[in-house]
Amino acid sequence: MSKVALITGVTGQDGAYLAEFLLKKGYIVHGLKRRSSMFNTDRIDHLYQDPHIENRNFILHYGDMTDSMNLTRIIQDVQPDEIYNLAAMSHVKVSFDTPEYTANADGIGTLRILEAVRLLGLTKKTRIYQASTSELYGLVQEVPQKETTPFYPRSPYAVAKLYGYWITVNYREAYGIHASNGILFNHESPLRGETFVTRKVTRAAARIALGMQDKVFMGNLSSRRDWGHAKDYVRAMYLILQQDQPDDYVIATGITTTIRDFIKMAFAEMGVEIAFSGEDAKEVGIIKSVDNKLFTEKAGAEYLSTIENRIGTEVVGVDERYFRPTEVELLIGDPTKSKTKLGWEPEYDLTALVKDMMQSDIKLMKKEAFLRDNGFKTLNYFE
Ligand code: NAP
Ligand code: G4F
């Protein structure tokens, strides 16, 4: 008998990789997707199965984390062996603009899932993975951060996730549910949302290289993140639910890097050297040099003269609109527990992650350039 999984947030970065991973393992995968005015299934289109075919193993349901009855009905229909609760308003900066909604979807949404499992009498059958986050550490109380490090959330998002974390622990202790938290540090990929810092940078670097954009405006260049690849991190989610006992795990690489250095790495992937000067909101990044051979190999000879003409000019600036009212300056995780107990090891390091993202965005932007040059509409929205 195939195991049945329900993934909330299946249309997101992690949802897409996890669905693919579980399908390969022989699961029947159900996913919760929101109704939107345009298709929002781009990341899972390759997995889509027509509702008219029999014995589908990938099934989507309309739903929303703010709708208890909807969630309860879906869980009743699906009778999942495993629920991966990934749905969330996941953007830290946006959570300052939508704090009440974020608390509802990310905090109370988690409660809705747990309570549905309890009310439906599924406490012994259904295992639950809660997508907790390194943002819980916020103003860090210890370096590196591990499972026992005290939390100090610094945004409405992190405070909502703090509720999600503890209500998961509480339902585990109160009702014996196999419910676990994965405290995941930042993880990225070619599927990363375009307004998170890594993807914003890789998209912009590719566009600048192809002469499609002059400059990118960033926020705090000095904050540090522990970045891994989403493909490695969804494997950890699965491993957490395969353990005999529920528990909470930090998933991280143990290496931290500034935003500034990530930008340098992204451009360097195409042989473009960026030099930073100035401070705070006046800091700028200019193109210092170009390795013609590497640039030709990665971006194409036809764009070489465009990038050479940009040597000595500013391609990175700072705009205070991207600063956060309270910032998380440093995240670096200690993954010892997940390595020892889960046997989890990441396959990608930061260099491999940057390479994967840059390769994908260069390809994507070449397609955009082609569409633009042939009179088709292209994406014209940057944040
Ligand atoms: P993501 O790409 O932003 O995906 C979020 C998913 O949640 C999307 O499918 C989104 O649907 C859905 N969603 C948002 N609000 C919803 C609502 N009210 N009802 C139903 N679905 C809703 O996020 P991600 O990077 O894959 O992250 C997955 C989870 O892990 C999130 O809970 C995030 O907070 C957490 N997390 C992420 C990281 C990271 O570095 N990526 C680290 C730690 C924890 P649409 O596609 O319709 O927007
Ligand atoms: O990429 P970010 O927006 O990710 P952030 O805030 O760390 O949150 C992500 O990771 C969390 C795990 O720790 C998840 F829980 C959460 O759901 C999300 O996936 O920003 C990273 C850093 C911040 O310090 C930010 O201030 O990059 C800095 N930054 C600098 N310039 C920028 C920008 N962030 C964004 N989004 N855009 C900028 O222009």
Side-chain angles (χ1 to χ4, degrees):
M1 285 284 281
S2 297
K3 275 198 194 173
V4 177
L6 171 65
I7 303 175
T8 71
V10 73
T11 56
Q13 170 189 254
D14 292 3
Y17 282 121
L18 181 64
E20 194 172 305
F21 177 86
L22 294 177
L23 286 168
K24 278 195 189 133
K25 288 223 167 278
Y27 278 60
I28 295 173
V29 176
H30 293 257
L32 183 80
K33 69 162 180 173
R34 292 196 285 185
R35 190 269 159 182
S36 72
S37 67
M38 293 178 77
F39 287 127
N40 59 353
T41 48
D42 201 42
R43 293 186 178 105
I44 50 170
D45 274 348
H46 60 298
L47 305 175
Y48 179 77
Q49 293 171 351
D50 188 294
H52 303 98
I53 63 168
E54 278 179 27
N55 300 323
R56 281 187 298 158
N57 58 2
F58 185 57
I59 301 136
L60 297 176
H61 305 259
Y62 280 112
D64 200 290
M65 293 304 290
T66 60
D67 185 338
S68 307
M69 284 190 274
N70 157 264
L71 292 174
T72 307
R73 182 181 50 74
I74 292 170
I75 294 172
Q76 184 172 29
D77 289 350
V78 169
Q79 297 280 310
D81 297 302
E82 297 172 3
I83 297 179
Y84 294 86
N85 183 32
L86 310 186
M89 201 310 289
S90 72
H91 202 284
V92 172
K93 174 75 162 64
V94 174
S95 78
F96 288 97
D97 301 325
T98 60
E100 183 184 341
Y101 171 73
T102 305
N104 192 359
D106 300 12
I108 308 296
T110 308
L111 171 67
R112 291 184 180 105
I113 298 277
L114 291 157
E115 186 62 357
V117 166
R118 186 175 82 84
L119 293 177
L120 292 168
L122 294 171
T123 51
K124 294 284 170 280
K125 174 182 169 68
T126 306
R127 296 182 173 195
I128 300 176
Y129 171 87
Q130 168 57 15
S132 285
T133 165
S134 50
E135 282 291 304
L136 296 172
Y137 299 118
L139 190 61
V140 296
Q141 304 293 296
E142 188 179 22
V143 178
Q145 296 86 51
K146 53 181 186 278
E147 290 80 0
T148 50
T149 303
F151 297 139
Y152 194 136
R154 291 270 279 175
S155 64
Y157 166 78
V159 175
K161 285 283 188 178
L162 185 73
Y163 179 85
Y165 174 92
W166 281 116
I167 201 66
T168 300
V169 173
N170 182 245
Y171 269 57
R172 174 167 85 213
E173 293 175 353
Y175 306 116
I177 301 182
H178 193 298
S180 302
N181 286 287
I183 308 171
L184 272 51
F185 282 63
N186 298 50
H187 46 282
E188 321 290 315
S189 73
L191 298 187
R192 185 57 145 152
E194 292 86 347
T195 63
F196 295 96
V197 76
T198 55
R199 188 75 200 291
K200 176 170 170 177
V201 167
T202 56
R203 275 171 55 85
R207 289 176 62 86
I208 289 165
L210 306 188
M212 299 169 73
Q213 181 176 334
D214 287 340
K215 188 171 175 178
V216 62
F217 288 94
M218 306 296 303
N220 181 3
L221 295 172
S222 299
S223 59
R224 291 168 182 268
R225 289 294 181 272
D226 178 333
W227 282 298
H229 197 299
K231 275 190 184 171
D232 284 328
Y233 286 48
V234 300
R235 187 158 33 83
M237 296 175 187
Y238 163 79
L239 288 173
I240 288 172
L241 287 201
Q242 309 318 307
Q243 303 308 301
D244 289 341
Q245 297 304 320
D247 203 348
D248 308 316
Y249 297 89
V250 159
I251 307 295
T253 69
I255 294 168
T256 194
T257 308
T258 61
I259 311 303
R260 191 178 292 105
D261 282 343
F262 185 93
I263 295 172
K264 287 186 184 174
M265 287 176 77
F267 278 91
E269 184 53 33
M270 303 173 295
V272 179
E273 186 190 3
I274 302 290
F276 282 95
S277 60
E279 278 183 13
D280 304 322
K282 298 220 162 24
E283 186 162 356
V284 293
I286 62 159
I287 297 184
K288 196 173 168 199
S289 68
V290 177
D291 176 333
N292 290 2
K293 190 164 168 281
L294 191 54
F295 186 86
T296 304
E297 185 192 319
K298 298 290 172 118
E302 64 272 40
Y303 301 103
L304 193 54
S305 61
T306 314
I307 198 77
E308 278 179 334
N309 285 336
R310 298 295 315 274
I311 292 174
T313 67
E314 281 178 24
V315 288
V316 183
V318 171
D319 182 338
E320 291 180 20
R321 85 175 64 206
Y322 300 117
F323 290 172
R324 293 157 186 203
T326 39
E327 173 65 284
V328 173
E329 294 288 350
L330 166 72
L331 289 175
I332 175 167
D334 174 356
T336 306
K337 181 176 170 183
S338 55
K339 289 192 173 187
T340 345
K341 286 194 141 187
L342 302 175
W344 176 78
E345 277 294 338
E347 285 174 9
Y348 286 80
D349 63 9
L350 185 57
T351 307
L353 170 69
V354 172
K355 192 186 184 75
D356 193 25
M357 293 181 74
M358 281 307 301
Q359 247 174 18
S360 170
D361 274 333
I362 292 169
K363 199 167 152 197
L364 195 67
M365 292 313 150
K366 282 189 172 173
K367 191 171 134 201
E368 287 263 309
F370 174 84
L371 290 173
R372 180 200 58 188
D373 295 345
N374 287 282
F376 292 99
K377 187 173 176 293
T378 55
L379 187 64
N380 195 23
Y381 186 78
F382 303 97
E383 226 178 42

